[in-house]
Amino acid sequence: MSHPLFEKHRIKLDNALKAIQTRGYWAAYNEMPSPKTYGETAAEDGKRAFEAHLGQKFDLAQPGQADWHGGEQSPFGVELNIQYPVCEAQALIDAGQQAMTGWQAAGCEGRTGICIEILDRLNQQSFELAHAVMMTTGQGWMMAFQAGSPHAQDRGLEAVTYAYREQSFVPLDALWEKQQGKNPPLVMKKHFEVVGRGVGVVVGCGTFPTWNTYPGLFAALATGNAVIVKPHSNAILPAAITVRTIRAVLAENGIDPNLVTLCVAAKRETTQQLVTHSAVKSIDFTGSNVFGQWLIDNCRQAQVYAELAGVNNIVIDSTDAYKSMLRNVAFTLSLYSGQMCTTSQVLFVPAGGIETEDGHKSYDDVCTDLARTIESTLAKPEVALAVLGAVQSAATLTRIDEANSGVLGKVILASKKLNNPEFPNAEVHTPALLACDAADEKAYMEERFGPITFVVKVADTAAAIALSERVVSTHGALTTGIYSTKPDVLDAMTAATWRSKVALSINLTSGVFVNQSSAFSDYHGTGGNPSANASYADSAFVANRFRVVQRRYHM
Amino acid sequence: MSHPLFEKHRIKLDNALKAIQTRGYWAAYNEMPSPKTYGETAAEDGKRAFEAHLGQKFDLAQPGQADWHGGEQSPFGVELNIQYPVCEAQALIDAGQQAMTGWQAAGCEGRTGICIEILDRLNQQSFELAHAVMMTTGQGWMMAFQAGSPHAQDRGLEAVTYAYREQSFVPLDALWEKQQGKNPPLVMKKHFEVVGRGVGVVVGCGTFPTWNTYPGLFAALATGNAVIVKPHSNAILPAAITVRTIRAVLAENGIDPNLVTLCVAAKRETTQQLVTHSAVKSIDFTGSNVFGQWLIDNCRQAQVYAELAGVNNIVIDSTDAYKSMLRNVAFTLSLYSGQMCTTSQVLFVPAGGIETEDGHKSYDDVCTDLARTIESTLAKPEVALAVLGAVQSAATLTRIDEANSGVLGKVILASKKLNNPEFPNAEVHTPALLACDAADEKAYMEERFGPITFVVKVADTAAAIALSERVVSTHGALTTGIYSTKPDVLDAMTAATWRSKVALSINLTSGVFVNQSSAFSDYHGTGGNPSANASYADSAFVANRFRVVQRRYHM
């Protein structure tokens, strides 16, 4: 007897299974906030649902609650003033462990069906979640909707699909029959039980609290584990809404809702206690190298899946579409004020300039033309505000000031603060573009998160490719790009990315950008360079999250 | 164009793929040393091939050779006196890294075809390898043939099959086509390259130098990595023969043979340098907890797959086949003098005794009857010598003396030294059986490798199951067993093994033994308790050994 929710979502799962095998374009959830998909009143209902949280206590009925805590500051300057339950880490762990027995008994199909039901329900809350993401992260509305809701849900479904595929390879039982010549055969019955490894902790980040959380959350959950979601202190609401919905769907289906809980920690020590607890067997983390490395060094009892920082870069060798190239790069640097883990930070340009369909362009031409293109991209205020969103953290504001000061390199384009009439307190900042030499490694060769990009002058294309490879191998990167009309240059860059293990975008000039990663098609991170030790999503992201326990007996 | 060796071995691969999905009985290589399978002269040829190595230098034409080293001592007392090349670790790493480019270019199908060709060639050397295994490990002839050759080759093929399946899920390329309403669709071509993570080191053990080495060796190799085989200092010959054959097959197929090399290290520092090298990205290890933990603690740059020690145990609650149960357990304890990582070390028996088809048996009855059964199992000298083999290490001899002295528990059956007329210097020792109380944890609750077994008196069956779970969770185990006629007892033990994550054998009374693990059917280790952090073989054993590097461009 298959689980009813597995049957209900079977077609979606089959399509998703096909998608992860072909990795062409596919999406389960509509990225357009269309009334046809989401309902005529969805936009208004979602906004109201979001607003209903403001100034309230967000109750989750979790065990071990000792206090309330809040304090999220909106980059748009909106008052949030929401309080969340603070629960004892030990109580959450105990409750999660207890809930795992029933979750194991649901079996792979039951877990898969329930996880997809959860994602469908989150999809119905896409507008509410989008407002929550926008107001806590500073993303513009359209990005908050797309990345915060359908794209995140697709990444979650992708993880569930990989988890299903790997678990479904483990047969429930087997008949083992070994011939013994003239004697009767040896016959054994064997049973194989998929068992989650233990409690998983998912540590969210401040910029993409759902997109970067759902893969680990659903990978751990679908493979039979309890999950404790530890959100970033400034982006709790999207996680809290998510956890509430998960708990509701679990309870509706006879699963102890304490399988998934929210851990809001007022003190850093609480988080450290949680992640180093012996019962915690996996940790999914997105964030800074410092805390990521601390997790890897200190949480030896757990498998840590870490997405850290990197120095994403583009090599510009030549192009037959100069203006399109500049527009493409300018949009990448502007989108969400460069606050994506995939935004390019370094552009390598040969000292001798580049050949284009519009003739030779010197290094200085490229700098100037890119600066102008950024300005024209953001010339219309309504476009600029929609594209840039707001700056999420004070640390990024400090980095912008530093970039503007000229200490990091010659300022080609200074970052400017823009006024947002709708949100007068919003921190809106345009990209800063700096010029420096390849030798100025201290300036460009560490992640400077935010709208700060270096146009680095290199001896020639070969040196640029070599430098790109070294940057990726030693400092990590989630994305690289190259612009070239020469096949041998593209081949050399391709070979370099195989060695440094980083995704490469080639000659992007139209509606796809180097910082975009499409669920079911683009592997986000390779897990092979210092920016991340795992990828969204592949077999390695799920296969080690469960164990197979067998028993056998004579027939 | 598919690789010719992939086509050649396609049927075998398809059968193996079916086997890992159904996990019924299947084997690619005949476990019987039959002339029909292996050839009329295979036995004699293999023996001569083995003898031709004795007293010789085993040349491998590897880079960076600085010296020769040997010193293997045969547990059968045979003079081996073989010298092996000692090469600079850095030279082996450099050469391996260089060879990886061509290996990557061979693609998943090319690598898979070549790996299966290697296994077929090793299969043709089964007699030679069996003698090498027997004379270095002390295994009896039949075990040395089966476990050393066809069973090891099957485990290698199992790893290749899992590796193929996971890699084959990554499409070579994809067409990504996203509709844009009334505008033309966005179309991108994407390529996905499977790239090995780096150099793999496989550290062999002294008792099963092929069976425990081939899974990691072939998993790492098939997924695109270079492999350095670091054999146990006393079981070099089976590894050297293996590496020579691999190098020959690689060279025949246009792959740089330095992809796979043998690292014989005269000094411990050489091994430590090798495994901590930044280019080494995976380590497969079988052996002691001390060195295993050292590897996990110190080789942070690599993924460590470790099979360590444990305290395997059996709970005896009741039986309807008392004599068969005793014979089954007695054979398990006797086989290779208990020197299998799967041999039971502890038997939990209720203080009140057990019910059998032959009436009630007290705890003392069980002790005495098991001792007598072991004696009768080994009553015929030719059987005893074949079953027991010889003791591999001096440390095990010391442990046997300690067990016989009575300091660890009351001696129910003392280990006796037997004379082997064919090999007068062979160290042949029968099992020691000791009685102790559950409270004597210091005696039985650490691994005492070799023919030493404790019959531990527990309050009752419930206490036995609880104790078994605690032993497995805290000290690890690769195998557990239970004898009971009561469904609720079997259910309770099953649930306990789900929590402690260990394989369970139920009521074994005929030709299958708790210490046997059948390739393609039994998962060897779960990876979920301290005895091992990985399993032979499952998806998790292979999925994290390679990375996917993508590139994309507009169409």
Side-chain angles (χ1 to χ4, degrees), chain A residues 31 166 522 526 539 547 550, chain B residues 166 178 522 526 539 547:
Chain A
E31 70 177 3
E166 289 305 337
D522 292 315
T526 68
S539 299
R547 293 292 178 240
Q550 71 170 61
Chain B
E166 290 305 337
K178 185 176 177 183
D522 293 315
T526 68
S539 300
R547 293 293 178 241

Side-chain angles (χ1 to χ4, degrees), chain A residues 20-25 31 104 151 165-166 168-171 173-178 186 188 190 192-193 195-198 296-297 300 303 328 494 497-498 501-518 521-523 526-528 533-534 538-540 543-544 547-554, chain B residues 20-25 31 104 151 165-166 168-171 173-178 186 188 190 192-193 195-198 296-297 300 303 328 494 497-498 501-518 521-523 526-528 533-534 538-540 543-544 547-554:
Chain A
I20 62 170
Q21 187 123 15
T22 57
R23 295 197 81 100
Y25 176 79
E31 70 177 3
Q104 178 187 318
H151 291 178
R165 185 168 72 181
E166 289 305 337
S168 71
F169 285 146
V170 180
D173 47 40
L175 197 69
W176 182 88
E177 187 165 349
K178 184 177 177 181
L186 288 171
M188 302 207 81
K190 305 187 183 190
F192 305 101
E193 182 84 4
V195 179
R197 294 187 67 175
I296 291 170
D297 289 343
R300 307 299 303 283
Q303 186 81 26
N328 191 284
T494 297
T497 62
W498 288 344
K501 302 185 183 66
V502 64
L504 175 64
S505 290
I506 300 171
N507 292 328
L508 296 189
T509 49
S510 64
V512 175
F513 305 91
V514 69
N515 51 343
Q516 288 179 328
S517 175
S518 175
S521 182
D522 292 315
Y523 294 94
T526 68
N533 69 1
D538 60 11
S539 299
N544 214 12
R547 293 292 178 240
V548 181
V549 179
Q550 71 170 61
R551 62 188 193 279
R552 60 182 184 178
Y553 46 84
H554 299 296
Chain B
I20 63 169
Q21 187 124 14
T22 58
R23 295 198 81 101
Y25 176 80
E31 70 175 5
Q104 179 188 319
H151 290 178
R165 186 168 72 179
E166 290 305 337
S168 70
F169 285 146
V170 180
D173 47 42
L175 197 70
W176 182 88
E177 188 165 348
K178 185 176 177 183
L186 288 171
M188 302 206 80
K190 306 188 182 189
F192 305 100
E193 182 85 4
V195 179
R197 294 187 67 175
I296 291 170
D297 289 343
R300 307 299 304 281
Q303 186 81 26
N328 190 284
T494 297
T497 62
W498 287 345
K501 302 184 182 66
V502 63
L504 174 64
S505 291
I506 300 171
N507 291 328
L508 296 188
T509 49
S510 63
V512 175
F513 304 92
V514 68
N515 51 344
Q516 289 179 327
S517 175
S518 175
S521 181
D522 293 315
Y523 294 93
T526 68
N533 70 0
D538 60 10
S539 300
N544 214 10
R547 293 293 178 241
V548 181
V549 180
Q550 71 171 60
R551 62 189 193 279
R552 60 183 184 177
Y553 45 87
H554 299 295

